[in-house]
């Protein structure tokens, strides 16, 4: 059983380290959160396996009285590990996926990229908060791995960031048109304020209210200059 926990744990850590695109059924709006959660699960399984092995070794060596100490030690260590992983700046980075080496796209890849751009512009799938890489790949008729690779190659971003870039652009337009922050959030494909604020900050460097105030101030300045002339 400990070996099974260890194998599953390491397998989960390897897959989750590849970033959001390694979980094609995860909601793209969640960004890196699914990868972070799987990191925690994988680490917990590995630590659990290690504690079981140490308990068995202690009993076999005649030190069974150490079992409660081992359990307590690894329970505390597991909690600390989960906390460190959850708060790690590396795991909370905006993009943890492995980027494909830059190269010239083939003609077939360029054709797929053109289809992706046209589909995003015409059908605006990013407005669906439940959009996943798997669902997007089915809509386009392109394998998820291929789609992820092409988007990364053409934009330098993973699919989650690419889709959320489009969502933020839609939210910005809604804000300029007079929508409230909440209305702009919901209409652009986000369903939680935390995800919306996180992506808005990533792209603009500020929150929606301050961004809108800056845009309106710039427009007022330009209008004033035009009137003076």
């Amino acid at each position: 059983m400990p070996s099974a926990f260890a194998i599953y744990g390491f397998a989960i850590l390897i897959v989750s380290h590849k970033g959001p695109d390694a979980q094609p059924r995860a909601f793209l709006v969640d960004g890196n959160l699914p990868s972070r959660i799987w990191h925690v699960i994988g680490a917990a399984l590995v630590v659990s396996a290690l504690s079981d092995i140490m308990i068995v070794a202690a009993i076999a060596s005649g030190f069974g009285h150490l079992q409660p100490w081992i359990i307590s030690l690894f329970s505390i260590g597991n909690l600390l590990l989960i906390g460190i992983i959850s708060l790690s700046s590396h795991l909370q980075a905006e993009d943890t996926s492995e980027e494909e080496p830059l190269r010239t796209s083939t003609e077939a890849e360029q054709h797929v990229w053109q289809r992706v751009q046209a589909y995003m512009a015409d059908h605006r799938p990013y407005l669906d908060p439940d959009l996943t890489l798997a669902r997007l790949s089915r809509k386009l008729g392109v394998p998820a791995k291929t789609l992820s690779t092409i988007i990364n190659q053409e934009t330098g971003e993973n699919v989650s960031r690419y889709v959320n870039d489009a969502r933020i652009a839609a939210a910005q337009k809604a804000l300029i048109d007079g929508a409230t922050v909440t209305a702009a959030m919901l209409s652009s494909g986000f369903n939680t304020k935390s995800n919306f604020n996180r992506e808005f900050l990533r792209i603009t460097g500020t929150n929606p209210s301050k961004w809108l105030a800056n845009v309106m101030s710039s427009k007022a300045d330009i209008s004033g200059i035009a009137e003076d002339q």
Side-chain angles (χ1 to χ4, degrees):
M1 185 62 74
S3 60
F5 281 1
I7 292 171
Y8 280 119
F10 280 118
I12 289 172
L13 286 173
I14 291 171
V15 172
S16 61
H17 183 69
K18 295 179 181 179
D21 289 356
Q23 293 94 40
R25 291 180 175 80
F27 295 143
L28 295 175
V29 72
D30 290 331
N32 188 46
L33 181 60
S35 296
R36 201 184 318 155
I37 291 173
W38 282 110
H39 261 92
V40 172
I41 294 173
L45 286 173
V46 172
V47 171
S48 177
L50 183 58
S51 67
D52 288 346
I53 292 172
M54 289 191 67
I55 289 172
V56 171
I59 294 174
S61 303
F63 294 97
H65 62 281
L66 295 178
Q67 180 176 343
W69 288 97
I70 295 173
I71 294 174
S72 298
L73 178 64
F74 274 89
S75 294
I76 295 172
N78 216 351
L79 290 174
L80 287 174
L81 179 62
I82 290 172
I84 291 171
I85 290 178
S86 299
L87 298 175
S88 169
S89 60
H90 169 69
L91 292 177
Q92 290 186 14
E94 292 149 3
D95 182 8
T96 59
S97 63
E98 298 289 337
E99 291 191 358
E100 298 288 337
L102 291 178
R103 58 179 174 76
T104 303
S105 299
T106 65
E107 185 175 343
E109 289 172 336
Q110 291 175 357
H111 176 67
V112 171
W113 174 236
Q114 291 171 358
R115 286 176 53 201
V116 171
Q117 291 177 297
Y119 187 79
M120 291 286 283
D122 296 341
H123 299 277
R124 299 192 294 175
Y126 51 84
L127 299 182
D128 177 8
D130 295 331
L131 183 66
T132 64
L133 172 57
R135 183 177 297 180
L136 185 60
S137 71
R138 286 197 301 271
K139 295 285 188 181
L140 289 163
V142 178
K145 177 60 178 175
T146 301
L147 181 60
S148 171
T149 299
I150 290 174
I151 289 177
N152 179 267
Q153 177 67 28
E154 297 295 334
T155 69
E157 299 181 342
N158 60 40
V159 179
S160 177
R161 288 185 61 175
Y162 172 66
V163 168
N164 284 334
D165 285 352
R167 286 173 169 148
I168 293 301
Q172 289 174 318
K173 182 178 184 304
L175 288 170
I176 292 174
D177 290 343
T180 64
V181 172
T182 300
M185 174 193 78
L186 295 174
S187 67
S188 60
F190 290 94
N191 51 18
T192 65
K193 198 73 173 289
S194 59
N195 286 342
F196 177 60
N197 288 336
R198 180 198 70 225
E199 292 301 296
F200 206 100
L201 178 63
R202 174 179 68 82
I203 294 170
T204 68
T206 188
N207 62 51
S209 298
K210 288 184 179 179
W211 177 84
L212 182 60
N214 291 337
V215 169
M216 292 303 157
S217 176
S218 297
K219 284 189 173 183
D221 291 342
I222 294 174
S223 177
I225 293 174
E227 289 178 0
D228 291 340
Q229 293 177 343

